Amino acid sequence: MRGSATRGFVFDTQAEAIASGREKLISAGGGELSVHGRNGRVRSKDTLGGGNDPNPPRDREH
């Protein structure tokens, strides 16, 4: 953990954690959700909450 950070949320499944992360990002105005595997590598990324980028990247995952 970084600095004096504490563990904020604990979930039983990764699906629950992803759903919670999606809700929090959308309510905060959007952002990028990155899902990491047990080995620490990024499994998937998703940009949520829209935005006003006139040339958004093409999503090849979904």
Side-chain angles (χ1 to χ4, degrees):
M1 290 191 225
R2 296 182 181 154
S4 62
T6 60
R7 192 168 205 166
F9 301 96
V10 178
F11 299 96
D12 291 330
T13 66
Q14 193 171 47
E16 290 175 2
I18 293 169
S20 176
R22 284 183 190 279
E23 289 176 20
K24 287 177 182 17
L25 270 176
I26 290 171
S27 68
E32 184 166 290
L33 178 69
S34 298
V35 178
H36 296 257
R38 289 182 185 241
N39 61 1
R41 296 182 71 185
V42 176
R43 287 182 31 194
S44 68
K45 288 187 193 178
D46 198 9
T47 302
L48 302 170
N52 52 5
D53 186 355
N55 296 310
R58 293 188 179 144
D59 190 357
R60 297 174 190 204
E61 185 177 330
H62 299 280

